[in-house]
Amino acid sequence: FEELIYTYRIFREHQGYFRIEASEGVPERIFRTLKDLIYTYEKPNQGLITNLRYPVKKPKALQRSQ
């Protein structure tokens, strides 16, 4: 965005909650589910440069045959 790279990290806490690390000055918030986090950040002007749209499931690691 405007020749800058913004990164956001989503962490899963020990209790199963989600926390997002965003731009400096954006208050830290805890979310019960990933869906709750996306619902909050899909709206404009919530502290992210782009709106979130939907969760992407992590692909399962391929099992090596022995």
Side-chain angles (χ1 to χ4, degrees):
F1 179 77
E2 297 180 2
E3 298 185 23
L4 294 173
I5 297 173
Y6 292 85
T7 58
Y8 307 102
R9 296 173 66 188
I10 298 173
F11 298 93
R12 185 136 198 203
E13 302 295 327
H14 296 293
Q15 302 84 3
Y17 295 110
F18 292 90
R19 175 176 58 90
I20 189 168
E21 185 178 278
S23 303
E24 189 175 324
V26 176
E28 185 177 291
R29 296 180 60 186
I30 305 293
F31 300 90
R32 188 174 296 231
T33 67
L34 194 54
K35 218 175 210 178
D36 293 338
L37 185 149
I38 291 170
Y39 178 75
T40 297
Y41 288 105
E42 72 183 357
K43 300 172 190 130
N45 302 317
Q46 297 300 311
L48 302 184
I49 200 67
T50 187
N51 301 339
L52 300 180
R53 294 184 288 176
Y54 49 85
V56 176
K57 294 190 181 215
K58 182 177 180 181
K60 294 183 180 182
L62 297 174
Q63 292 181 348
R64 293 184 180 178
S65 58
Q66 295 185 3

